[in-house]
Amino acid sequence: MSIETEVKDSMAYIIWHFYCLWDPEHGFEVITHKDRVIDIGQQVDGFKIYEDNGTADEVTKRYEERWNKVKKKKKWWRFY
């Protein structure tokens, strides 16, 4: 179980990890918020938390800004 930092209605999201002892590849995960299931699968998509609490656009914008900064960096051989 992991308690996420993202909150909605003053309640955190929880990701439950279920593992199969005899075959670790066949476990599954569940994202919950209060009494709702947000996502379930072999590996859940954490971005669905942002979609659920309405901050997906902000997160996408921040990611794009960071990516643009990385792309603008000079090549390693240019010193000027």
Side-chain angles (χ1 to χ4, degrees):
M1 175 180 87
S2 59
I3 301 172
E4 301 299 307
T5 57
E6 294 296 318
V7 295
K8 179 180 178 181
D9 301 329
S10 301
M11 295 289 289
Y13 290 86
I14 298 176
I15 299 180
W16 302 87
H17 308 276
F18 297 93
Y19 297 107
C20 180
L21 292 177
W22 58 90
D23 193 0
E25 294 180 10
H26 292 97
F28 68 98
E29 299 176 337
V30 180
I31 298 176
T32 60
H33 180 259
K34 292 186 179 179
D35 59 349
R36 299 179 303 122
V37 174
I38 307 300
D39 193 18
I40 186 169
Q42 192 168 3
Q43 285 186 317
V44 292
D45 183 9
F47 192 75
K48 290 188 179 182
I49 292 173
Y50 300 114
E51 291 174 345
D52 185 63
N53 68 8
T55 60
D57 293 334
E58 294 174 23
V59 172
T60 303
K61 184 178 177 181
R62 280 187 279 160
Y63 175 78
E64 288 173 352
E65 287 173 356
R66 286 185 194 166
W67 180 248
N68 289 334
K69 286 181 183 177
V70 169
K71 284 176 30 178
K72 289 180 183 178
K73 286 188 176 181
K74 295 180 182 178
K75 301 293 181 187
W76 64 270
W77 64 84
R78 296 197 179 181
F79 299 105
Y80 51 93

